[in-house]
Amino acid sequence: MPAGLLGIEDLTREHIQAILDRSRDFQPRAEPNFRKLDLLRGRMVVNLFFEASTRTRTSFEIAAKRLGADAISITAQASSVSKGESLVDTLNTLAAMRPDAIIMRHAASGAPHFLQRHLETPIINAGDGTHEHPTQALLDARTILDRGAKLEGLRVAIIGDIAHSRVARSNVYLLSKFGADIVLCGPASLLPAELAQIAPGVTLTNNMDEAIRGADVIMMLRVQLERQHEMAFPSSEYFQFYGLRLEHLRLASPDVIVMHPGPINRGREISSEVADSQRSVILNQVENGIAVRMAVLERVLCGVAGH
Ligand code: ASP
């Protein structure tokens, strides 16, 4: 099977560590202007997004270009899928144009895994339904490590719409492989009990204070209205019980960091005061998204040993 990147679940700790280490070489550091590299000159990647995205799509595109590759982006509305072509046919057509990798996002969980079985071109999963979003977990880990923290023994609270969150799942797989303690928190309707079993080191609670007490990292999640068939909570009530406010931070470890994969909804799951506070690393996450995706593209396109 071609070595793309479908999820975190099947990666080894060493493999993840190698991507995280390599991504450091691609962080801008002190240089204000990023020098374009030519590691992937003459290579081409196609971004195929069947769901809305701002940061992930742009970030993959910038990552490819910074490595000297060409990147083409196709959105579902503009593709032949809207003319009734099947997913397999669309992918086969694109693959016949010989890109070096296809980066795809799709609303169906497992779509990239299914397509990879039919295709020689490596696929990079940029989010599949409620299943995985591997590069998000990698950039989150990079951002935590940049603070000088070790993942082992770290207390990470992931709060919000856990049920529909591919970000939560990929983070649980990654953090668990490195020995972190993970607390998943949300209203009962958005917190499936079986998630406690998906990886070691996971506990569940419906109580936000309990989740935050002693946390080193607080990861907030957006309520995925597009994946819910009925509104679970009126938005004002949601914020009252599961919205992160400044007073919550006093319960956490003194140097807690607050993360959010974006897009954030101010006043719904996070207050503006927290989102804009010194504790927030939300924009560092966005910045690291490029470095981590450069490391992933290099690995997939250059077939680095061990992949
Ligand atoms: N951007 C993330 C995702 O695509 C999180 C979100 O949309 O809430 O899963």
Side-chain angles (χ1 to χ4, degrees), residues 105 133 166-167 222 224 261-263:
R105 167 170 290 189
H133 190 351
R166 54 197 177 206
V167 174
R222 183 175 66 89
Q224 309 263 310

Side-chain angles (χ1 to χ4, degrees), residues 69-95:
D70 293 317
I72 293 162
S73 289
I74 303 169
T75 48
Q77 294 83 348
S79 79
S80 298
V81 174
S82 58
K83 298 184 186 164
E85 188 172 61
S86 81
L87 200 51
V88 177
D89 286 335
T90 305
L91 268 281
N92 274 330
T93 306
L94 283 177

Side-chain angles (χ1 to χ4, degrees), residues 115-133:
L115 290 164
Q116 189 67 94
R117 289 200 286 275
H118 294 269
L119 222 69
E120 286 300 318
T121 313
I123 296 180
I124 299 175
N125 181 5
D128 65 315
T130 60
H131 178 224
E132 280 229 42
H133 190 351

